[in-house]
Amino acid sequence: MKFSVKTEYGLRAMIELALRNGDGLIGAREIAARQQIPERFLEQQITALKRAGLVISQRGSSGGCSLARGADEITVLEVIEALDGLVIDMDCINNKIHSCSQVAQCVIQEVWQGSQVKLREYLGSVTISDLVKRQEQLKDGARVKS
Amino acid sequence: MKFSVKTEYGLRAMIELALRNGDGLIGAREIAARQQIPERFLEQQITALKRAGLVISQRGSSGGCSLARGADEITVLEVIEALDGLVIDMDCINNKIHSCSQVAQCVIQEVWQGSQVKLREYLGSVTISDLVKRQEQLKDGARVKS
DNA sequence: GCATTTCCGAGCTTCCCAGTCGGATTTATG
DNA sequence: CATAAATCCGACTGGGAAGCTCGGAAATGC
């Protein structure tokens, strides 16, 4: 049970984009370099984010991408689900299989379902903007300390 | 992001044990047969549950296992963590690595941490006894319908 | 002693994640 | 128009983990 690195990379990219929002388009190469992420790999995640409508992009030289909305209007949940699909996927409920011949399975699926709801609730309450703000806090804290 | 079948098997076994609590020891073979779980595989999970102190067991012929406490005193969280370790494991926070050279990573780790807390909170609030009761409800519902 | 059970460790197969890569398409610029 | 730079698309791969099997040792009732 862990979050994929895809989502971590995706979130880091979104933070980077949020920091430089308004500066026009930013290339995947640049984001990758700044965040130390394999470039060709990040490319794919950005494409996925674009398909999900969280990012807009333009091809060609001097192309790049930027946030599709304000950083405070994009939740962590959206980013995760754009990259990895549902936060918790269950064969029984999400997919069409629904092979609950055994009643006990259904009961357990309800627990997975409940987990899903709780997680989505939380992750949906955190925005990219929150992350950026929190990051500033951490940086300031470190500066004061040193 | 999904729960392992180990945990599903483990929970189903616990439900089975809860249903027949007080009837003495029950063999892994029997549980496996009833719940249609690969026997030798279930064996291992039961051993893990025993090591975690959720189940007591006795070897030898007419050996078997039973719940170590009341079904209302065992949470789903305990079962899951006994079988799969922490619900959400993060290299940065749980383990010793703590390689947050990049500040952005730490911010994200806080989100994982938050998810962990929420999930544990929820899963810790559901007991095996709850599952059994809920299962009865479902069965009754089906009976009325038909 | 023998059957039956839990217990321990090793091994095996299949699948998926993380990452790479070749190349097609689009576009600004000279 | 040519070229360089960027996104985009699809296929491929290596490694590691999940799911499961298996052989056999230790315990225990009959």
Side-chain angles (χ1 to χ4, degrees), chain B residues 20-97:
Chain B
R20 314 183 47 195
N21 212 0
D23 297 8
L25 299 174
I26 301 176
R29 163 165 295 164
E30 189 180 341
I31 301 178
R34 263 177 203 269
Q35 291 283 337
Q36 307 189 34
I37 299 173
E39 185 183 330
R40 299 295 302 266
F41 191 47
L42 179 62
E43 241 179 46
Q44 298 173 9
Q45 319 316 327
I46 291 183
T47 303
L49 291 171
K50 181 217 159 189
R51 273 197 272 260
L54 302 179
V55 150
I56 55 177
S57 65
Q58 195 182 359
R59 299 216 231 184
S61 87
S62 79
C65 59
S66 67
L67 296 186
R69 311 171 227 153
D72 56 340
E73 292 173 324
I74 301 178
T75 70
V76 170
L77 178 67
E78 288 178 290
V79 175
I80 293 180
E81 293 200 327
L83 297 175
D84 266 346
L86 285 168
V87 238
I88 293 182
D89 61 331
M90 301 154 283
D91 297 333
C92 180
I93 299 193
N94 297 327
N95 304 355
K96 40 274 152 186
I97 304 183

Side-chain angles (χ1 to χ4, degrees), chain A residues 17-47:
Chain A
L17 287 175
L19 280 173
R20 313 183 47 194
N21 212 1
D23 297 9
L25 299 174
I26 301 176
R29 163 165 295 164
E30 189 179 341
I31 301 178
R34 263 178 203 270
Q35 292 281 336
Q36 307 190 35
I37 298 173
E39 184 183 332
R40 299 296 301 268
F41 190 48
L42 179 61
E43 241 179 47
Q44 298 175 11
Q45 320 315 326
I46 291 183
T47 304

Side-chain angles (χ1 to χ4, degrees), chain A residues 9-75:
Chain A
Y9 291 168
L11 285 173
R12 277 159 67 187
M14 293 299 272
I15 290 177
E16 196 68 25
L17 287 175
L19 280 173
R20 313 183 47 194
N21 212 1
D23 297 9
L25 299 174
I26 301 176
R29 163 165 295 164
E30 189 179 341
I31 301 178
R34 263 178 203 270
Q35 292 281 336
Q36 307 190 35
I37 298 173
E39 184 183 332
R40 299 296 301 268
F41 190 48
L42 179 61
E43 241 179 47
Q44 298 175 11
Q45 320 315 326
I46 291 183
T47 304
L49 290 171
K50 180 216 159 190
R51 273 197 272 261
L54 302 179
V55 148
I56 55 177
S57 64
Q58 196 182 359
R59 299 219 235 182
S61 87
S62 78
C65 58
S66 66
L67 295 186
R69 312 171 226 153
D72 55 340
E73 292 173 323
I74 301 178
T75 69

Side-chain angles (χ1 to χ4, degrees), chain A residues 72-84:
Chain A
D72 55 340
E73 292 173 323
I74 301 178
T75 69
V76 170
L77 178 67
E78 288 177 291
V79 175
I80 294 180
E81 293 199 328
L83 297 174
D84 266 346

Side-chain angles (χ1 to χ4, degrees), chain A residues 103-117:
Chain A
V103 197
Q105 289 181 35
C106 267
V107 172
I108 293 170
Q109 296 289 339
E110 285 184 354
V111 177
W112 296 169
Q113 177 81 9
S115 304
Q116 161 121 283
V117 170

